[in-house]
mmCIF file of all heavy atoms in Angstrom:
data_model
loop_
_atom_site.group_PDB
_atom_site.id
_atom_site.type_symbol
_atom_site.label_atom_id
_atom_site.label_comp_id
_atom_site.label_asym_id
_atom_site.label_seq_id
_atom_site.Cartn_x
_atom_site.Cartn_y
_atom_site.Cartn_z
ATOM 1 N N LYS S 20 -34.165 -32.789 52.479
ATOM 2 C CA LYS S 20 -34.950 -31.946 53.382
ATOM 3 C C LYS S 20 -34.333 -30.566 53.550
ATOM 4 O O LYS S 20 -34.990 -29.641 54.004
ATOM 5 C CB LYS S 20 -35.084 -32.625 54.751
ATOM 6 C CG LYS S 20 -35.858 -33.933 54.705
ATOM 7 C CD LYS S 20 -35.943 -34.560 56.080
ATOM 8 C CE LYS S 20 -36.720 -35.889 56.017
ATOM 9 N NZ LYS S 20 -36.761 -36.550 57.357
ATOM 10 N N ALA S 36 -29.298 -11.765 43.820
ATOM 11 C CA ALA S 36 -30.649 -12.062 43.344
ATOM 12 C C ALA S 36 -30.856 -13.573 43.241
ATOM 13 O O ALA S 36 -31.952 -14.083 43.538
ATOM 14 C CB ALA S 36 -30.884 -11.396 41.986
ATOM 15 N N ARG S 57 -18.226 -17.889 51.940
ATOM 16 C CA ARG S 57 -16.889 -18.011 51.353
ATOM 17 C C ARG S 57 -16.701 -19.292 50.540
ATOM 18 O O ARG S 57 -15.661 -19.942 50.596
ATOM 19 C CB ARG S 57 -15.804 -17.870 52.421
ATOM 20 C CG ARG S 57 -15.806 -16.495 53.049
ATOM 21 C CD ARG S 57 -14.849 -16.325 54.214
ATOM 22 N NE ARG S 57 -15.013 -14.996 54.772
ATOM 23 C CZ ARG S 57 -15.960 -14.659 55.661
ATOM 24 N NH1 ARG S 57 -16.810 -15.584 56.097
ATOM 25 N NH2 ARG S 57 -16.069 -13.425 56.102
ATOM 26 N N LEU S 62 -17.569 -24.349 53.288
ATOM 27 C CA LEU S 62 -18.098 -25.700 53.452
ATOM 28 C C LEU S 62 -17.118 -26.567 54.235
ATOM 29 O O LEU S 62 -17.518 -27.391 55.052
ATOM 30 C CB LEU S 62 -18.369 -26.305 52.069
ATOM 31 C CG LEU S 62 -19.245 -27.559 51.995
ATOM 32 C CD1 LEU S 62 -20.599 -27.336 52.640
ATOM 33 C CD2 LEU S 62 -19.410 -27.994 50.544
ATOM 34 N N GLU S 69 -28.170 -21.045 59.024
ATOM 35 C CA GLU S 69 -29.498 -21.341 58.500
ATOM 36 C C GLU S 69 -30.173 -20.031 58.082
ATOM 37 O O GLU S 69 -30.142 -19.048 58.821
ATOM 38 C CB GLU S 69 -30.357 -22.077 59.520
ATOM 39 C CG GLU S 69 -31.701 -22.489 58.948
ATOM 40 C CD GLU S 69 -32.496 -23.423 59.853
ATOM 41 O OE1 GLU S 69 -31.952 -23.880 60.881
ATOM 42 O OE2 GLU S 69 -33.670 -23.687 59.524
ATOM 43 N N THR S 84 -21.748 -10.461 46.455
ATOM 44 C CA THR S 84 -22.488 -11.572 47.043
ATOM 45 C C THR S 84 -22.450 -11.483 48.559
ATOM 46 O O THR S 84 -21.371 -11.368 49.150
ATOM 47 C CB THR S 84 -21.932 -12.939 46.590
ATOM 48 O OG1 THR S 84 -22.425 -13.968 47.458
ATOM 49 C CG2 THR S 84 -20.410 -12.975 46.578
ATOM 50 N N GLU S 93 -7.808 -26.111 49.194
ATOM 51 C CA GLU S 93 -8.082 -27.335 49.960
ATOM 52 C C GLU S 93 -9.140 -28.194 49.287
ATOM 53 O O GLU S 93 -9.084 -29.425 49.324
ATOM 54 C CB GLU S 93 -8.529 -27.006 51.389
ATOM 55 C CG GLU S 93 -7.476 -26.324 52.246
ATOM 56 C CD GLU S 93 -7.654 -24.820 52.294
ATOM 57 O OE1 GLU S 93 -8.019 -24.232 51.251
ATOM 58 O OE2 GLU S 93 -7.443 -24.243 53.371
ATOM 59 N N LEU S 115 -26.858 -29.312 47.287
ATOM 60 C CA LEU S 115 -26.209 -28.010 47.156
ATOM 61 C C LEU S 115 -26.679 -27.290 45.900
ATOM 62 O O LEU S 115 -26.950 -27.922 44.879
ATOM 63 C CB LEU S 115 -24.686 -28.164 47.075
ATOM 64 C CG LEU S 115 -23.905 -28.587 48.318
ATOM 65 C CD1 LEU S 115 -22.424 -28.739 47.956
ATOM 66 C CD2 LEU S 115 -24.076 -27.592 49.448
ATOM 67 N N GLY S 126 -15.533 -28.045 40.285
ATOM 68 C CA GLY S 126 -15.468 -28.550 41.657
ATOM 69 C C GLY S 126 -16.760 -29.234 42.060
ATOM 70 O O GLY S 126 -16.745 -30.280 42.731
ATOM 71 N N PHE S 130 -17.143 -33.175 43.224
ATOM 72 C CA PHE S 130 -17.709 -33.410 44.558
ATOM 73 C C PHE S 130 -18.960 -34.281 44.464
ATOM 74 O O PHE S 130 -19.142 -35.224 45.237
ATOM 75 C CB PHE S 130 -18.030 -32.054 45.192
ATOM 76 C CG PHE S 130 -18.322 -32.094 46.667
ATOM 77 C CD1 PHE S 130 -17.575 -32.880 47.532
ATOM 78 C CD2 PHE S 130 -19.349 -31.320 47.192
ATOM 79 C CE1 PHE S 130 -17.838 -32.895 48.902
ATOM 80 C CE2 PHE S 130 -19.622 -31.325 48.551
ATOM 81 C CZ PHE S 130 -18.875 -32.127 49.405
ATOM 82 N N LEU S 149 -19.948 -20.092 29.613
ATOM 83 C CA LEU S 149 -20.393 -21.447 29.912
ATOM 84 C C LEU S 149 -21.307 -21.967 28.797
ATOM 85 O O LEU S 149 -22.259 -21.294 28.393
ATOM 86 C CB LEU S 149 -21.103 -21.493 31.267
ATOM 87 C CG LEU S 149 -20.176 -21.367 32.472
ATOM 88 C CD1 LEU S 149 -20.972 -21.152 33.747
ATOM 89 C CD2 LEU S 149 -19.292 -22.612 32.616
ATOM 90 N N ASP S 153 -27.620 -19.207 26.880
ATOM 91 C CA ASP S 153 -27.439 -18.024 26.028
ATOM 92 C C ASP S 153 -26.715 -16.916 26.765
ATOM 93 O O ASP S 153 -25.956 -16.148 26.166
ATOM 94 C CB ASP S 153 -28.800 -17.511 25.534
ATOM 95 C CG ASP S 153 -29.426 -18.433 24.503
ATOM 96 O OD1 ASP S 153 -28.682 -19.231 23.888
ATOM 97 O OD2 ASP S 153 -30.656 -18.367 24.314
ATOM 98 N N ASP S 159 -24.771 -9.241 31.581
ATOM 99 C CA ASP S 159 -25.443 -8.049 31.070
ATOM 100 C C ASP S 159 -25.005 -6.804 31.831
ATOM 101 O O ASP S 159 -24.773 -5.743 31.234
ATOM 102 C CB ASP S 159 -26.963 -8.214 31.161
ATOM 103 C CG ASP S 159 -27.703 -7.057 30.509
ATOM 104 O OD1 ASP S 159 -27.637 -6.923 29.274
ATOM 105 O OD2 ASP S 159 -28.338 -6.269 31.247
ATOM 106 N N ASP S 170 -17.919 4.940 26.556
ATOM 107 C CA ASP S 170 -18.529 6.223 26.190
ATOM 108 C C ASP S 170 -17.725 7.394 26.756
ATOM 109 O O ASP S 170 -17.497 8.405 26.084
ATOM 110 C CB ASP S 170 -19.971 6.304 26.706
ATOM 111 C CG ASP S 170 -20.938 5.439 25.906
ATOM 112 O OD1 ASP S 170 -20.542 4.941 24.835
ATOM 113 O OD2 ASP S 170 -22.077 5.258 26.360
ATOM 114 N N ASP S 174 -14.769 10.381 24.719
ATOM 115 C CA ASP S 174 -14.700 11.845 24.785
ATOM 116 C C ASP S 174 -13.263 12.335 24.730
ATOM 117 O O ASP S 174 -12.929 13.261 23.984
ATOM 118 C CB ASP S 174 -15.375 12.353 26.077
ATOM 119 C CG ASP S 174 -16.875 12.139 26.077
ATOM 120 O OD1 ASP S 174 -17.438 11.910 24.992
ATOM 121 O OD2 ASP S 174 -17.481 12.180 27.166
ATOM 122 N N VAL S 187 -10.748 -5.412 28.499
ATOM 123 C CA VAL S 187 -11.877 -5.896 29.292
ATOM 124 C C VAL S 187 -11.613 -7.342 29.686
ATOM 125 O O VAL S 187 -10.712 -8.001 29.153
ATOM 126 C CB VAL S 187 -13.199 -5.789 28.503
ATOM 127 C CG1 VAL S 187 -13.464 -4.336 28.120
ATOM 128 C CG2 VAL S 187 -13.191 -6.669 27.261
ATOM 129 N N ASN S 198 -19.226 -7.830 22.102
ATOM 130 C CA ASN S 198 -20.507 -7.143 22.267
ATOM 131 C C ASN S 198 -20.335 -5.750 22.859
ATOM 132 O O ASN S 198 -21.106 -4.839 22.549
ATOM 133 C CB ASN S 198 -21.454 -7.989 23.116
ATOM 134 C CG ASN S 198 -22.012 -9.167 22.336
ATOM 135 O OD1 ASN S 198 -22.776 -8.995 21.399
ATOM 136 N ND2 ASN S 198 -21.614 -10.365 22.710
ATOM 137 N N ALA S 205 -17.275 0.931 18.994
ATOM 138 C CA ALA S 205 -15.822 0.832 18.834
ATOM 139 C C ALA S 205 -15.471 0.344 17.424
ATOM 140 O O ALA S 205 -16.310 -0.219 16.715
ATOM 141 C CB ALA S 205 -15.241 -0.114 19.882
ATOM 142 N N ALA S 248 -4.039 -5.481 26.259
ATOM 143 C CA ALA S 248 -3.938 -4.111 25.745
ATOM 144 C C ALA S 248 -2.510 -3.576 25.811
ATOM 145 O O ALA S 248 -2.051 -2.895 24.889
ATOM 146 C CB ALA S 248 -4.886 -3.206 26.532
ATOM 147 N N TYR S 262 1.080 6.245 15.099
ATOM 148 C CA TYR S 262 -0.139 6.318 15.914
ATOM 149 C C TYR S 262 0.168 6.755 17.336
ATOM 150 O O TYR S 262 1.128 6.278 17.959
ATOM 151 C CB TYR S 262 -0.841 4.960 15.952
ATOM 152 C CG TYR S 262 -1.412 4.533 14.619
ATOM 153 C CD1 TYR S 262 -0.877 3.443 13.932
ATOM 154 C CD2 TYR S 262 -2.473 5.225 14.043
ATOM 155 C CE1 TYR S 262 -1.383 3.054 12.713
ATOM 156 C CE2 TYR S 262 -2.989 4.839 12.818
ATOM 157 C CZ TYR S 262 -2.447 3.766 12.156
ATOM 158 O OH TYR S 262 -2.965 3.389 10.949
ATOM 159 N N SER S 277 -24.751 -2.337 40.825
ATOM 160 C CA SER S 277 -26.074 -2.923 40.980
ATOM 161 C C SER S 277 -26.460 -3.669 39.700
ATOM 162 O O SER S 277 -26.268 -3.154 38.601
ATOM 163 C CB SER S 277 -27.080 -1.800 41.269
ATOM 164 O OG SER S 277 -28.370 -2.324 41.430
ATOM 165 N N LYS S 309 -32.131 -21.025 27.129
ATOM 166 C CA LYS S 309 -32.004 -21.078 25.676
ATOM 167 C C LYS S 309 -33.301 -20.585 25.060
ATOM 168 O O LYS S 309 -34.374 -21.120 25.369
ATOM 169 C CB LYS S 309 -31.738 -22.518 25.208
ATOM 170 C CG LYS S 309 -30.294 -22.960 25.324
ATOM 171 C CD LYS S 309 -29.462 -22.345 24.229
ATOM 172 C CE LYS S 309 -28.097 -22.986 24.116
ATOM 173 N NZ LYS S 309 -27.291 -22.330 23.090
ATOM 174 N N LYS S 320 -21.100 -31.193 29.994
ATOM 175 C CA LYS S 320 -21.258 -30.382 28.787
ATOM 176 C C LYS S 320 -20.974 -28.913 29.069
ATOM 177 O O LYS S 320 -20.321 -28.225 28.276
ATOM 178 C CB LYS S 320 -22.676 -30.538 28.231
ATOM 179 C CG LYS S 320 -22.925 -31.847 27.522
ATOM 180 C CD LYS S 320 -24.273 -31.822 26.807
ATOM 181 C CE LYS S 320 -24.487 -33.106 26.015
ATOM 182 N NZ LYS S 320 -25.779 -33.078 25.295
ATOM 183 N N LYS S 326 -17.997 -22.550 24.241
ATOM 184 C CA LYS S 326 -19.146 -21.789 23.756
ATOM 185 C C LYS S 326 -18.703 -20.957 22.553
ATOM 186 O O LYS S 326 -17.784 -20.143 22.662
ATOM 187 C CB LYS S 326 -19.676 -20.889 24.876
ATOM 188 C CG LYS S 326 -20.956 -20.151 24.531
ATOM 189 C CD LYS S 326 -21.468 -19.438 25.773
ATOM 190 C CE LYS S 326 -22.754 -18.708 25.508
ATOM 191 N NZ LYS S 326 -23.269 -18.080 26.746
ATOM 192 N N PRO S 327 -19.326 -21.152 21.413
ATOM 193 C CA PRO S 327 -18.846 -20.470 20.197
ATOM 194 C C PRO S 327 -19.260 -19.002 20.136
ATOM 195 O O PRO S 327 -20.311 -18.612 20.641
ATOM 196 C CB PRO S 327 -19.516 -21.264 19.065
ATOM 197 C CG PRO S 327 -20.776 -21.796 19.683
ATOM 198 C CD PRO S 327 -20.445 -22.061 21.124
ATOM 199 N N SER S 334 -19.127 -10.044 11.934
ATOM 200 C CA SER S 334 -19.411 -9.414 10.642
ATOM 201 C C SER S 334 -20.079 -8.050 10.835
ATOM 202 O O SER S 334 -19.730 -7.070 10.155
ATOM 203 C CB SER S 334 -20.303 -10.321 9.799
ATOM 204 O OG SER S 334 -20.721 -9.678 8.616
#
Side-chain angles (χ1 to χ4, degrees):
K20 296 179 180 178
R57 296 174 184 83
L62 195 56
E69 185 170 352
T84 164
E93 295 98 322
L115 289 177
F130 193 42
L149 287 169
D153 289 340
D159 186 68
D170 286 349
D174 292 343
V187 300
N198 285 293
Y262 293 112
S277 180
K309 279 284 193 183
K320 285 189 176 181
K326 186 173 181 177
S334 173

